[in-house]
Amino acid sequence: CSNDSEEDLFGDYDSFYGNDSLLAQVDDIEHGYVQDENTDVKAAGEIGNLQPGVHQKEQDNFSALENVVVLKSDKEGACQMCDRDPADGNQELTDSILDDLPSSQLLYFEEMDKLSSASRTSPVSEGRNERVNSSLDKIRDPSSLCAGADHRNRPTDSSSHSKGVLFKTESLKDHLKSAMTGNAKAQTLQVSKTKQLKEAVLSEEIFVARRAIESSSVDIGPFYGLPSKVKDLFRQLRGIETLYEWQHDCLMLESLQQRKNLIYSLPTSGGKTLVAEIIILQELLCRQKDVLMILPFVAIVQEKVWIQGLSTFGIELGFLVEEYAGSKGRFPPIKRRVKKSLYIATIEKGHTLVNSLIETERIHDLGLVVVDELHMLGEGSRGAILEITLAKILYTSKKTQVIGMSATLSNVGDLQKFLQAEYYTNNFRPVELKEYIKIRDTIYAVDSKTENGFAFSRLLNFKYSSNLEKADPDHIIALVTEVIPKYSCLIFCPTKKNCENVASMVCKYLKKEFRAHREKEKQDLLKNLKSIGNGAVCPVLKQTIPFGIAYHHGGLTNDERKIIEEAYSSGVLCLLACTATLAAGVNLPARRVILRAPYVANDFLKKNQYKQMIGRAGRAGIDSAGESILIVQEKDKHLVQDLVHSPLESCCSNLLLELTKGMQSLLLSLIGLKIAVTHEEVDNFMCNTLLGVQQHLLPKEKSLSEIIKDGLENLIQKGLLKGRISEKDHNSKCTLAITPLGKATYKGSIDLANCNLLYRELKKGLEGLILESNLHLLYLATPYDMISTCSPDWMIYLRQFNQLSAAEQKVADIVGVPESFITKKASGQAIRKNVDNAVVNRLYLTFVLYTLLKETNIWSVSEKFNMSRGYVQNLLNSAASFASCLLHFCEELEEFWVYKALLTELTKQLTYCVKTELIPLMEVAGVLEARAKQLYNAGYKTLAHLANANPDTLVRMIEHLSRRQAKQIVSSAKMLLSEKAEALQEEVEELLKVPTDIP
């Protein structure tokens, strides 16, 4: 029923929870404040003037707190970590949740607690009363409403607090009455109270942030539209005082101000990443939009604004966001402000994420996409996936800004057309790079002005004995001893084995004095490697590290690689022998870079790869110049002349070269996501890809439209699409649709080359899945793309087979590898029966995974199967990823319902591969297995323990943990705990919500 009188609506209303009305109590409280002689109204007015315009009315922003603004700036913010008693953690977490509520809600909680305590009093309810009362005190105490007041040294005695209330002339009672009237008239929303409350807090805080940005009295620069606090944090965390001139010019580009897409290109070490970080922070903090950053070599996806385990670059960026969010600033803390996300993803995960955003219609929330190493577009299947991802973003979200950066770009015009982007380039390098080649014992400078491109520089000055000449015919020792141990050196080698051989050879012939350089730190490094290797250290590293030398390649575990990189960065190690992946994936500069040979494996070096490697020479702020020396055999001299003087390779589309992961995958997902559902619409989309821009490079036999038509027909034949394409008119309006198998394939990111085989294997599994152990399920989750990398040791194969139970041996028979086959192979007998090699290899990899899940020790398993530990870890990571893909595949097909629960558990086991008790700790950023064991043994056994830990105590108790790492772990644990609590709270609200359609 309606009521015309607002006064009548609430005037005499007694609330359901007590004898006195809420408004009457509010009036009494407020009246008490007016009477309070200690309330300094003048101070309140002065403080209020610090934020002009902040408390002006914004309709629909925040019903119960319309004219009250609370900018929380407590010293102990959730992200700004301070030393405190861990025992206070739970109370502080609850306090912070209550702090987020409007005053009317807190008053309501107080009355509810009074009512509940009347019937029963328990320690739990008493604790809750204290927390609610403390939060109410913050509301009642005027000083808690001061925006910008310095609470740093505030005394605990309430009488000495600075007092200030941001109220208009009307009373709080009037405000609440007005708000309650509005609420009563408003249509009831079918959402939970928690969600409504969050949205209200969000609206108010966005309003405050925007007013703060607009206000001339608020500090939002001089740092490129960001608060100067961000500049301070760059200085504190990264040691960056000022930007290079090119960085300033780039950030001030008109195209960036107008949010146009941009490609920028500079030599390696020029400082490209910093520009990207600033643009990302502008998007997150000022424009409040989601950001996706695609990195080529980071295997961890970050899907929350608090960072949980990234590469060094990612952690620093995430740490910076967190530090700023917890600092006193004009913007509300990010974790309370909005659920905006910073996604940091590999190329593959970025594609999966974009599909998800398009499907859930959240792609428009994506304000910015930053692509590091844009030249990856031209590199194999990953290039094809990157092209697909960017094409989808450009087509479905016109307001999303795309920024691409690279050190090695050639055909920029094509890339500009594809990304509809402006272009900025500069030849700046903070340290001069001098390029040399070495033939025999002579060093030549690379000089394009000379006739053959090389100018004599010097002869090597190092006396070689005949024995040493045999051991080191390329004079590597002469080249490295000119710089180490005082300066650092990288040697790029063609193969992993070559890296280890070079490291061993160099330390054999070094003088004993090299051992004395930073000896204790090198001993600590070996101890650290021993602890993460469960007591084992690689024999090569044990031999080389005392000399300050190590190798770095894919055969190392993630933990080992990280420790070696840190030791090299800090100067404990002075020489790394590494493969080409280090050049592109990790920022480890050196005074001198030596290229052992102009090859990567058996392939001659490409110009892009050469540029990436030599770009690591010269460390900004340390070296006056960097040197690169390419060791050349006489037979390769002409090839090397072409290499050093040729232009960079063009970046060409791989959509057709990588057919199943490229073109076919794209066509399937376009129709599955309903981006394009007719041949004509697909043609339009394809014209906007890099392939569309480069149509002139296609073979003349077929046009792009005909290639598309063939691709669509192929997908229909495979049973992944349904519909037809008219023969007479290829622009027919016939609508294509995805089949359940097609949907499962693109949702699970399954390679189209394997989707039908996978379906048949899962179907066969339904007939008799052996569940005595997880061996059969593990076989189904063993990734297809690792099969070609495996060559079984038949004696090990037979030994592992014989250790299986009778039921487990039956699994081998079911999948198609009979015992007789393994036995004959192991004894070298001839095989008459035809057995599928792919199945044989896949089962061997399954045995590796099965042993790994039982022993949870990469070292012992790698020895048992005679594989490198890095390979075993890579297999584990691939299996975890494929198990997750398999789960998504099965979720789309009702017939595979039985696999869902089984695969959920298996994915978790493969992801962590540790004893069950360590899994909660490993969910935290920066905590891998070795660290999790240290923390568990020190008494930090749960997420709550870590969230409430004191970083200084952690540093004292945990070996080899820096204070910065400790702060990162505590911060990440807090965020994770808060998020889990929030999710549970939402679930509770959803359960308690009264249905609106009760009969």
Side-chain angles (χ1 to χ4, degrees), residues 78-79 96 100 305-306 325 333-338 975 978 982:
C79 300
S96 72
D100 289 350
V305 77
W306 37 88
I334 286 175
K335 79 180 186 74
R336 289 177 54 220
R337 183 205 74 204
V338 320
M975 297 300 143
S978 168
E982 209 173 87

Side-chain angles (χ1 to χ4, degrees), residues 434-438 442-450 452-458 628 644-645:
K434 296 176 180 176
E435 282 179 63
Y436 299 97
I437 68 160
K438 184 191 84 68
T442 309
I443 306 282
Y444 298 92
V446 173
D447 185 354
S448 56
K449 292 169 191 167
T450 61
N452 66 355
F454 304 124
F456 173 82
S457 176
R458 64 187 172 95
S628 71
V644 296
H645 296 296

Side-chain angles (χ1 to χ4, degrees), residues 941-956:
K941 298 188 176 182
T942 65
L943 192 57
H945 281 127
L946 282 184
N948 295 291
N950 183 320
D952 289 331
T953 310
L954 276 179
V955 172
R956 280 199 307 276

Side-chain angles (χ1 to χ4, degrees), residues 268-269 296-298 311-313 372-373 490 492 552 561-562 564-566 568-569 576 579-589 612 616:
T268 303
S269 307
F297 293 103
V298 182
S311 69
T312 308
F313 157 68
D372 194 6
E373 311 291 354
L490 293 174
F492 285 105
H552 183 292
R561 208 155 44 226
K562 193 175 175 187
I564 285 169
E565 285 166 12
E566 284 171 359
Y568 175 82
S569 295
L576 288 186
T579 50
T581 49
L582 183 135
V586 188
N587 185 22
L588 293 178
Q612 288 276 0
R616 295 293 165 214

Side-chain angles (χ1 to χ4, degrees), residues 725-743:
I725 300 157
S726 171
E727 290 293 330
K728 292 174 187 173
D729 178 13
H730 73 262
N731 282 333
S732 165
K733 298 289 181 188
C734 289
T735 302
L736 293 161
I738 199 160
T739 64
L741 178 60
K743 190 176 182 186

Side-chain angles (χ1 to χ4, degrees), residues 404-466:
M405 54 176 163
S406 176
T408 53
L409 284 180
S410 173
N411 53 329
V412 176
D414 285 354
L415 300 179
Q416 278 187 266
K417 277 185 196 169
F418 168 44
L419 296 178
Q420 301 144 43
E422 304 280 317
Y423 180 55
Y424 176 88
T425 186
N426 195 304
N427 289 324
F428 172 81
R429 262 188 70 92
V431 176
E432 184 192 358
L433 171 62
K434 296 176 180 176
E435 282 179 63
Y436 299 97
I437 68 160
K438 184 191 84 68
I439 301 174
R440 296 195 188 90
D441 61 351
T442 309
I443 306 282
Y444 298 92
V446 173
D447 185 354
S448 56
K449 292 169 191 167
T450 61
E451 191 179 336
N452 66 355
F454 304 124
F456 173 82
S457 176
R458 64 187 172 95
L459 287 169
L460 277 178
N461 182 23
F462 190 91
K463 289 179 183 174
Y464 268 75
S465 65
S466 58

Side-chain angles (χ1 to χ4, degrees), residues 554-555 786 789-793 796 841 843-849 852 858-873 875:
M786 295 289 287
T789 65
C790 168
S791 96
D793 179 314
I796 294 171
N841 289 6
L843 184 64
Y844 188 68
L845 292 176
T846 303
F847 284 176
V848 178
L849 290 167
L852 199 51
I858 285 171
W859 274 81
S860 65
V861 173
S862 66
E863 284 172 19
K864 198 169 275 183
F865 285 87
N866 196 21
M867 294 171 164
S868 78
R869 51 205 183 280
Y871 178 85
V872 173
Q873 187 169 59
L875 171 64

